Amino acid sequence: MIRDLALAAKASCSFEDQETLVPLILQLKKLSEVIAKQGLLALENELMQIKDSFLNLGVQLIIDRVEAENIKDILDSDIYYNQSNGRELLKKIIIREGLLRIQAGDSPRNVLICTKVFLGKIPEAAFRTS
């Protein structure tokens, strides 16, 4: 997990901006569920629906079985050297954390827990599905 206070300050955003990221967290959980039920290669079927280029890149790296440390380096490079801030930066941080958890084989529940922590202003009920 990224523990960089300067980066965290740049990723600070409003409740409304955080609220728009709830579907992203649920999407990361869903990707983890796909792997748990159908296996890693089933992610290839999900790629066409992933419009976010950062998320798409990360999923491709996982499908290609790139080592965790290399995935981390690639995603971190984009986060640190891209001029993102606010909601967009927070979104990338959440994607990074979720993908690293997915790549490590964490359960869908753990992926959810470890990504929703970044949206501290959002009530727990927002993350419940069905």
Side-chain angles (χ1 to χ4, degrees):
M1 186 175 292
I2 292 180
R3 299 191 195 304
D4 181 328
L5 293 178
L7 190 65
K10 282 181 64 177
S12 180
C13 57
S14 69
F15 174 82
E16 291 77 18
D17 282 343
Q18 285 192 17
E19 215 170 25
T20 67
L21 296 174
V22 170
L24 171 64
I25 289 174
L26 296 175
Q27 181 181 20
L28 289 164
K29 180 183 176 215
K30 179 184 174 256
L31 292 173
S32 181
E33 290 168 346
V34 166
I35 292 174
K37 292 177 184 172
Q38 302 170 30
L40 181 64
L41 292 180
L43 284 181
E44 286 183 350
N45 299 329
E46 303 294 319
L47 277 176
M48 300 266 307
Q49 288 94 11
I50 299 174
K51 302 300 180 208
D52 183 274
S53 60
F54 189 72
L55 178 55
N56 194 293
L57 169 64
V59 171
Q60 287 179 45
L61 293 170
I62 291 171
I63 292 169
D64 291 343
R65 298 182 190 270
V66 173
E67 290 189 27
E69 196 59 37
N70 291 337
I71 293 173
K72 181 180 174 296
D73 287 345
I74 291 165
L75 298 179
D76 284 354
S77 293
D78 186 286
I79 287 170
Y80 282 102
Y81 299 111
N82 192 312
Q83 295 300 315
S84 301
N85 56 40
R87 181 189 169 279
E88 191 59 34
L89 178 57
L90 183 57
K91 179 174 141 183
K92 286 183 176 184
I93 291 169
I94 290 169
I95 290 171
R96 175 202 180 272
E97 185 65 25
L99 290 175
L100 291 176
R101 298 291 175 169
I102 289 169
Q103 193 276 340
D106 284 11
S107 70
R109 182 176 181 211
N110 198 49
V111 170
L112 177 67
I113 290 168
C114 293
T115 53
K116 73 180 183 180
V117 70
F118 293 100
L119 302 183
K121 298 176 183 177
I122 304 299
E124 182 72 27
F127 299 98
R128 292 195 186 104
T129 57
S130 66

Short mmCIF file of all heavy atoms in Angstrom, two decimals, residues 1 62 68-69 71-72 75-76 95-106:
data_model
loop_
_atom_site.label_atom_id
_atom_site.label_comp_id
_atom_site.label_asym_id
_atom_site.label_seq_id
_atom_site.Cartn_x
_atom_site.Cartn_y
_atom_site.Cartn_z
N MET A 1 0.85 -1.18 0.00
CA MET A 1 0.00 0.00 0.00
C MET A 1 0.90 1.25 0.00
O MET A 1 1.89 1.29 0.71
CB MET A 1 -0.90 -0.02 1.23
CG MET A 1 -1.92 1.09 1.25
SD MET A 1 -3.09 1.00 2.63
CE MET A 1 -4.01 -0.45 2.22
N ILE A 62 -1.47 -8.47 -15.46
CA ILE A 62 -1.84 -9.64 -14.65
C ILE A 62 -2.08 -10.84 -15.54
O ILE A 62 -1.60 -11.95 -15.26
CB ILE A 62 -3.07 -9.32 -13.77
CG1 ILE A 62 -2.69 -8.32 -12.69
CG2 ILE A 62 -3.64 -10.61 -13.14
CD1 ILE A 62 -3.87 -7.78 -11.89
N ALA A 68 4.76 -9.53 -9.67
CA ALA A 68 4.14 -8.49 -8.85
C ALA A 68 5.02 -7.24 -8.72
O ALA A 68 4.53 -6.12 -8.81
CB ALA A 68 3.79 -9.04 -7.47
N GLU A 69 6.30 -7.43 -8.50
CA GLU A 69 7.21 -6.30 -8.33
C GLU A 69 7.27 -5.44 -9.59
O GLU A 69 7.33 -4.22 -9.52
CB GLU A 69 8.60 -6.78 -7.93
CG GLU A 69 9.48 -5.70 -7.36
CD GLU A 69 8.91 -5.02 -6.11
OE1 GLU A 69 8.29 -5.68 -5.27
OE2 GLU A 69 9.11 -3.79 -6.00
N ILE A 71 4.84 -5.23 -11.91
CA ILE A 71 3.53 -4.54 -12.01
C ILE A 71 3.53 -3.32 -11.12
O ILE A 71 3.15 -2.23 -11.53
CB ILE A 71 2.37 -5.49 -11.65
CG1 ILE A 71 2.24 -6.60 -12.68
CG2 ILE A 71 1.06 -4.71 -11.52
CD1 ILE A 71 1.23 -7.67 -12.33
N LYS A 72 4.00 -3.50 -9.90
CA LYS A 72 4.07 -2.39 -8.94
C LYS A 72 4.93 -1.25 -9.50
O LYS A 72 4.52 -0.09 -9.46
CB LYS A 72 4.64 -2.89 -7.61
CG LYS A 72 4.73 -1.87 -6.53
CD LYS A 72 5.32 -2.53 -5.27
CE LYS A 72 5.59 -1.55 -4.18
NZ LYS A 72 6.58 -0.55 -4.48
N LEU A 75 3.04 0.57 -12.48
CA LEU A 75 1.92 1.39 -12.02
C LEU A 75 2.40 2.57 -11.18
O LEU A 75 1.90 3.68 -11.31
CB LEU A 75 0.91 0.53 -11.25
CG LEU A 75 0.26 -0.59 -12.06
CD1 LEU A 75 -0.70 -1.38 -11.16
CD2 LEU A 75 -0.44 -0.08 -13.29
N ASP A 76 3.39 2.32 -10.32
CA ASP A 76 3.95 3.41 -9.50
C ASP A 76 4.59 4.49 -10.36
O ASP A 76 4.45 5.68 -10.08
CB ASP A 76 4.98 2.88 -8.51
CG ASP A 76 4.36 2.17 -7.32
OD1 ASP A 76 3.12 2.17 -7.19
OD2 ASP A 76 5.13 1.60 -6.51
N ILE A 95 -6.82 1.79 -8.03
CA ILE A 95 -6.61 0.76 -9.05
C ILE A 95 -5.34 -0.02 -8.76
O ILE A 95 -5.32 -1.25 -8.79
CB ILE A 95 -6.56 1.39 -10.46
CG1 ILE A 95 -7.95 1.88 -10.88
CG2 ILE A 95 -6.00 0.39 -11.48
CD1 ILE A 95 -7.98 2.71 -12.15
N ARG A 96 -4.27 0.70 -8.45
CA ARG A 96 -3.00 0.05 -8.13
C ARG A 96 -3.16 -0.93 -6.99
O ARG A 96 -2.75 -2.09 -7.08
CB ARG A 96 -1.96 1.11 -7.79
CG ARG A 96 -0.63 0.54 -7.32
CD ARG A 96 0.12 1.60 -6.50
NE ARG A 96 1.39 1.13 -6.02
CZ ARG A 96 1.56 0.49 -4.87
NH1 ARG A 96 0.53 0.20 -4.09
NH2 ARG A 96 2.76 0.11 -4.49
N GLU A 97 -3.76 -0.48 -5.92
CA GLU A 97 -3.93 -1.34 -4.74
C GLU A 97 -4.78 -2.55 -5.08
O GLU A 97 -4.44 -3.69 -4.72
CB GLU A 97 -4.55 -0.56 -3.58
CG GLU A 97 -4.64 -1.35 -2.30
CD GLU A 97 -3.29 -1.73 -1.71
OE1 GLU A 97 -2.29 -1.04 -1.97
OE2 GLU A 97 -3.25 -2.73 -0.96
N GLY A 98 -5.89 -2.33 -5.76
CA GLY A 98 -6.77 -3.43 -6.12
C GLY A 98 -6.09 -4.45 -7.01
O GLY A 98 -6.20 -5.66 -6.79
N LEU A 99 -5.37 -3.98 -8.03
CA LEU A 99 -4.70 -4.89 -8.94
C LEU A 99 -3.60 -5.69 -8.26
O LEU A 99 -3.43 -6.89 -8.52
CB LEU A 99 -4.13 -4.13 -10.14
CG LEU A 99 -5.17 -3.57 -11.11
CD1 LEU A 99 -4.49 -2.72 -12.18
CD2 LEU A 99 -5.99 -4.68 -11.74
N LEU A 100 -2.86 -5.06 -7.37
CA LEU A 100 -1.82 -5.79 -6.65
C LEU A 100 -2.44 -6.85 -5.75
O LEU A 100 -1.89 -7.95 -5.60
CB LEU A 100 -0.93 -4.83 -5.86
CG LEU A 100 -0.03 -3.94 -6.72
CD1 LEU A 100 0.74 -2.96 -5.84
CD2 LEU A 100 0.93 -4.77 -7.57
N ARG A 101 -3.59 -6.55 -5.16
CA ARG A 101 -4.29 -7.54 -4.33
C ARG A 101 -4.82 -8.68 -5.19
O ARG A 101 -4.75 -9.84 -4.81
CB ARG A 101 -5.45 -6.89 -3.56
CG ARG A 101 -5.03 -5.82 -2.59
CD ARG A 101 -4.29 -6.39 -1.43
NE ARG A 101 -3.80 -5.33 -0.57
CZ ARG A 101 -3.30 -5.54 0.63
NH1 ARG A 101 -3.21 -6.76 1.11
NH2 ARG A 101 -2.85 -4.53 1.34
N ILE A 102 -5.37 -8.34 -6.34
CA ILE A 102 -5.87 -9.37 -7.27
C ILE A 102 -4.72 -10.25 -7.73
O ILE A 102 -4.82 -11.48 -7.72
CB ILE A 102 -6.59 -8.70 -8.47
CG1 ILE A 102 -7.92 -8.08 -8.01
CG2 ILE A 102 -6.80 -9.71 -9.60
CD1 ILE A 102 -8.57 -7.18 -9.05
N GLN A 103 -3.61 -9.64 -8.13
CA GLN A 103 -2.46 -10.38 -8.61
C GLN A 103 -1.92 -11.31 -7.53
O GLN A 103 -1.47 -12.41 -7.82
CB GLN A 103 -1.38 -9.41 -9.09
CG GLN A 103 -0.27 -10.05 -9.89
CD GLN A 103 0.83 -10.67 -9.06
OE1 GLN A 103 0.99 -10.36 -7.90
NE2 GLN A 103 1.56 -11.57 -9.66
N ALA A 104 -2.02 -10.90 -6.28
CA ALA A 104 -1.54 -11.72 -5.16
C ALA A 104 -2.49 -12.86 -4.82
O ALA A 104 -2.16 -13.71 -4.00
CB ALA A 104 -1.32 -10.83 -3.94
N GLY A 105 -3.67 -12.85 -5.43
CA GLY A 105 -4.63 -13.92 -5.17
C GLY A 105 -5.52 -13.68 -3.97
O GLY A 105 -6.15 -14.61 -3.46
N ASP A 106 -5.62 -12.43 -3.53
CA ASP A 106 -6.49 -12.11 -2.39
C ASP A 106 -7.94 -12.42 -2.74
O ASP A 106 -8.34 -12.36 -3.90
CB ASP A 106 -6.38 -10.63 -2.01
CG ASP A 106 -5.10 -10.32 -1.26
OD1 ASP A 106 -4.20 -11.18 -1.21
OD2 ASP A 106 -4.99 -9.20 -0.73
#
